[in-house]
Amino acid sequence: MRPYRSPPIMPMLPISFTVNDRPTETTCAPGGSLLRLLRSEGWAGVHQVCESGDCGSCTVWVDGQPVHSCLYPALRAQGKAITTIEGVAQDGQLSPMQSAFLDHQGFQCGFCTPGMILSCTALETTDEAEIRAAMDGNMCRCTGYQTIVESVVAAKNGHAQPTPVTTSGVGQSVPKQDGPKIVTGQPIYTGDWAPPATLHMQVLRSPHSHARIRSIDTTKAQALPGVQLVLTHQDVPRIAYSTAGHGEPVPDPHDHYLLDAKLRFVGDRVAAVVADSAAIATRACELIEVDYEVLPAVLDPLQAIGDKLREAWPEDLPVCEHPPLVHDEPESYQIADAAHNISGKVTLGAGDVATGLAEAEIVLTHTYHLPACQHFHLEPHACTTWLDEDGILVVRSSTQVPFYCQNLLCKLFELPKEKVRVYKPNIGGGFGNKQDML
Ligand code: FES
């Protein structure tokens, strides 16, 4: 794995342009993207997701042409007219495309909607197949695209209607109450707001599948101007917990520590840096010197369970007799079978299963293999936290499980519940992945 090197921290350069007809004079980082510049100027409707031109959530118009602002160098915007979703409605009147999205409810969480509306407005076809093909630069996880396509077809055919206000009624389709805000880019998601002078955290991650930290030296990172705090496994409480928020008592394996000397996958957390800016925190992570003892790893889950494979799977698979153990530390707990790298077991049944199988005309037995999947919510994981004037730890997080987060934070930091408040603002999709507390 090639280590990522952050760009050097360079002096800012002056730039001027208009955003939604508003003259703007500011500075930007050489090599920085238009996306980051617009967000730093407060245009929160320009959403930051993949930053590789794949998802389209950051679409804006530059001199009337839609572009992925994450790929557009900020300095090229000099003298240009930028339009974001906040500038599409004129004099309080929605554009035909905004009205059509509202009319056909072409959204759910709304995180993709600003980019969708800006891209779709530029389409010059009413053909549904062509619209679908042309939209491949904009992704939506929630809608299945059907209502978006219906919105675009309606707008292009001049059939957008004002949405009647319906708040209740059996047998009626009730539109989302925040629909007008969504189509004008007004919802403020977790990453769109932070208190003044917020610090940024960056995590140094493991380059190895399986390793132990022999020693870690944070001296150079701590000496970098703008670094406020560097944390390693030596600085955090050693309490095993589950990241999964499934309820109380927690049914999932307790297999995580905040930071640990043992690293169990590529990307596992080695250290955390808090600094005045994200760029400084990233640079400080590169200055942390880690001496890793690289341990043997098994990358196949069946091989990882060792001789249990013989009893669990009838297939004639070669067995790894002594697989390396993911959890070999004595204090690990609530892991179903640590000696065989089995974190948990699930058995499902309804009624008298044995009798049911005995009486069945057909019994199918098979082993099913699934690839690793990502839930693909468009809004990334994000969290901002501060101590309020009453000494309460406030956590603003894109989470599906605020009460689980509160419980776990209380446990990890030995705080009473009244000292921890977790809340979620608008959420740009979760699909179960935000039941994990990262
Ligand atoms: Fe498209 Fe949620 S509405 S990602």
Side-chain angles (χ1 to χ4, degrees), residues 6 67 78 91 326 422:
S6 65
V67 301
Q78 170 63 37
D91 302 323
V326 179
V422 180

Side-chain angles (χ1 to χ4, degrees), residues 57 106-113 116 139-143 148 182 376-379 427-429 431:
S57 296
F107 49 80
Q108 187 176 318
C109 77
F111 205 78
C112 70
T113 310
M116 283 287 182
M139 294 180 178
C140 174
R141 172 62 171 84
C142 302
T143 61
I148 293 177
I182 285 176
F376 188 49
H377 39 80
L378 272 189
E379 183 201 21
I427 187 166
F431 309 106

